[in-house]
Amino acid sequence: MRPHARPADDLIALLGPLLAAEAVAETSGSGAEPGDLEQAVWLRLLERLRRAGPPADPPLWLRRAIRAEARRLRRTARRETALTCDPADAGRHDPERLALAAAHRRALRDAVRRLPGRCPGLLAALLSPRDPTYREIARELGISQGSLGPERSRCLGCLRRLLAAEVAAGRGRG
């Protein structure tokens, strides 16, 4: 222990690199910021030190605290919803918006019907309001379930090209 250093300072120095590495690993690909996770765990540690003193096994305590805080951040992120419209418009059924949405759906379904090969059947099944599983779609189309993903990607590429050409030609507005 350094002279005149507080036990908390030594603990923070010991755990800092581990916390930084674990925070990056826990937040990778989640959209969360490692710094937010680190801050939450440091706060939890300081509260723990004040309440009960240092943990018996600091690295183990740190890993558990990181996992718990990461779960809490993920739950919070799932509960939060993006604001996609003016709150005053939320829940209101605007006739113009409903008409435009219906026109876009018709244009999409028309474009899907013009695709080559099995694409119209596959994409129609994927767009179906009854939301069939891949297994049901494969059975319905008579193809293997494993080929649905690559086939779907190919069909969506065709659909993108078709719609891009229509928009470029000025026919994209329904």
Side-chain angles (χ1 to χ4, degrees), residues 134-135 138 143-152:
Y134 264 30
R135 176 178 285 158
I143 59 178
S144 75
Q145 188 174 340
S147 67
L148 275 179
E151 186 81 11
R152 181 184 128 257

Side-chain angles (χ1 to χ4, degrees), residues 75-136:
R75 276 193 312 271
T76 301
R78 274 196 307 270
R79 276 190 232 120
E80 292 175 349
T81 56
L83 185 59
T84 57
C85 64
D86 185 349
D89 290 339
R92 218 172 70 193
H93 297 291
D94 181 12
E96 182 181 3
R97 188 174 304 157
L98 293 173
L100 283 172
H104 287 140
R105 283 192 302 276
R106 275 192 305 276
L108 177 63
R109 291 192 186 281
D110 290 344
V112 165
R113 281 193 288 273
R114 292 192 310 272
L115 291 173
R118 289 191 282 210
C119 290
L122 175 59
L123 292 181
L126 290 169
L127 292 169
S128 170
R130 56 181 193 92
D131 196 24
T133 64
Y134 264 30
R135 176 178 285 158
E136 292 167 335

Side-chain angles (χ1 to χ4, degrees), residues 11-12 15-16 18-24 26-27 33-49 51 55 58-73:
L11 198 54
I12 289 170
L15 297 176
L18 177 61
L19 175 56
E22 292 283 337
V24 168
E26 278 294 324
T27 58
E33 291 292 323
D36 292 344
L37 183 56
E38 285 184 60
Q39 186 176 18
V41 173
W42 284 133
L43 180 60
R44 193 184 262 211
L45 176 63
L46 292 174
E47 289 169 347
R48 155 85 194 213
L49 290 173
R51 189 180 63 250
L60 177 64
W61 178 91
L62 181 82
R63 285 187 183 96
R64 287 179 177 163
I66 288 169
R67 301 297 179 287
E69 286 298 323
R71 280 191 306 275
R72 186 188 61 73
L73 285 174

